[in-house]
Amino acid sequence: MERCNRLVDVGRRQFLRGSAFAAAGAAAAVSLPVTPARAAPGLALVEYPSNRLANIADLKPNEPLDVGYPDDNAPGVLLKLGTRVEGGAGPDGDIVGFSTVCPHKGFPLNYNAEDRTLNCPGHYSRFDCEAGGLQIWGQATQNLPQYQLRVDKKGDIFAEGLDELIYGRLSNVL
């Protein structure tokens, strides 16, 4: 019994000593000047060679257009959402593109026009197309890879990178 009490005492002493160090560290941190951190724009963006995917005239509001990017082995869609969204391209800022391979287990995703989500039939992950492919439900552990899009003066839509890793690839290198 005595041995057990000593171990508890050692644990208490270590806890109190650690608390003292934590308090001293917090006091030192408060006295230091704070410099706001700035993230580099496009920090997570993986750039690929520019690739023409379609023209604005090819898109119909809220209907997916099947494309392949960065190569034909990477299925995806272009969507004209009809509402300006963050990361949207084109004159109305409403054109987005996504990989249609679920980042959880690689199942092909289906577009639901009612709530503008891409949905996985395998484990029911759901991704919000109006919020940059944000995962809103399911087993996936990352958001949906979104295309970096550019629209030229003729209305041609070009993809120039992705912001997440494509399922099944060790890197986003072609």
Side-chain angles (χ1 to χ4, degrees):
M1 287 285 203
E2 196 173 322
R3 181 176 180 197
C4 183
N5 286 338
R6 282 190 207 145
L7 289 176
V8 170
D9 289 341
V10 169
R12 287 182 190 147
R13 279 188 233 126
Q14 292 292 355
F15 174 77
L16 292 174
R17 189 177 303 140
S19 298
F21 283 123
V30 169
S31 66
L32 294 174
V34 176
T35 305
R38 291 187 213 166
L43 184 61
L45 181 68
V46 177
E47 293 182 18
Y48 289 106
S50 186
N51 188 2
R52 183 188 179 279
L53 300 178
N55 186 284
I56 292 176
D58 300 331
L59 299 177
K60 295 178 182 155
N62 210 24
E63 287 186 25
L65 176 68
D66 292 333
V67 295
Y69 184 74
D71 54 49
D72 292 337
N73 294 323
V77 293
L78 285 179
L79 297 163
K80 181 170 178 55
L81 297 173
T83 309
R84 182 173 292 279
V85 294
E86 188 172 338
D92 301 324
D94 65 343
I95 299 171
V96 293
F98 299 98
S99 167
T100 55
V101 178
C102 183
H104 176 235
K105 292 286 183 179
F107 284 90
L109 300 176
N110 302 310
Y111 184 66
N112 182 336
E114 288 180 26
D115 62 3
R116 298 178 180 185
T117 59
L118 283 161
N119 302 294
C120 180
H123 298 103
Y124 310 111
S125 290
R126 300 180 72 219
F127 304 92
D128 188 343
C129 296
E130 294 178 309
L134 177 72
Q135 179 196 348
I136 54 176
W137 183 260
Q139 302 293 323
T141 57
Q142 75 178 45
N143 297 328
L144 201 56
Q146 183 174 7
Y147 302 158
Q148 177 72 37
L149 298 176
R150 174 181 59 85
V151 179
D152 70 8
K153 293 178 184 178
K154 295 185 287 184
D156 288 332
I157 303 166
F158 293 86
E160 299 180 331
L162 285 163
D163 68 352
E164 295 279 351
L165 185 64
I166 299 170
Y167 177 81
R169 298 186 182 199
L170 298 177
S171 69
N172 277 346
V173 179
L174 292 176

